[in-house]
């Protein structure tokens, strides 16, 4: 299960527990500190970017498949 809270904007936030190598967490903290933001903000942005790129890849693949199918039906 997860715990929930709200952020400074009053948005509902679920808390999750993840595991990762200590060295990776240190790198995340270095980047977050260098950008003057929290670890959570950095990880949320990274996941938003990943999800967006995945949707673009799926869309591109679907478009390519549709074009291929269309060319086969001509």
């Amino acid at each position: 299960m997860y715990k929930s809270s709200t952020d400074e904007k009053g948005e509902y936030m679920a808390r999750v527990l993840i595991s990762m190598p200590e060295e990776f967490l240190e790198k995340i903290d270095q980047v977050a500190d260098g950008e003057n933001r929290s670890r959570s903000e950095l990880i949320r942005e990274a996941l938003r970017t990943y999800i967006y790129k995945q949707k673009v890849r799926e869309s591109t693949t679907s478009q390519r498949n549709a074009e291929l199918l269309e060319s086969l039906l001509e």
Side-chain angles (χ1 to χ4, degrees):
M1 195 73 184
Y2 59 86
K3 296 182 179 183
S4 62
S5 62
T6 55
D7 67 1
E8 62 279 350
K9 297 176 187 173
E11 286 187 59
Y12 173 81
M13 294 284 175
R15 292 183 180 205
V16 296
L17 178 66
I18 61 171
S19 300
M20 68 182 66
E22 186 85 21
E23 290 177 10
F24 189 56
L25 184 59
E26 289 170 5
K27 289 178 184 179
I28 290 170
D29 288 340
Q30 288 173 357
V31 172
D33 289 344
E35 295 181 3
N36 211 20
R37 58 184 171 163
S38 72
R39 177 192 293 165
S40 291
E41 288 174 303
L42 181 65
I43 292 171
R44 281 193 298 270
E45 181 181 338
L47 290 171
R48 275 193 295 272
T49 300
Y50 177 85
I51 291 167
Y52 172 78
K53 286 181 177 182
Q54 187 65 26
K55 286 181 181 180
V56 168
R57 277 191 291 270
E58 289 172 3
S59 176
T60 302
T61 300
S62 295
Q63 180 64 33
R64 247 184 282 156
N65 289 343
E67 291 169 0
L68 178 60
L69 180 58
E70 188 175 308
S71 72
L72 292 173
L73 295 175
E74 291 178 346

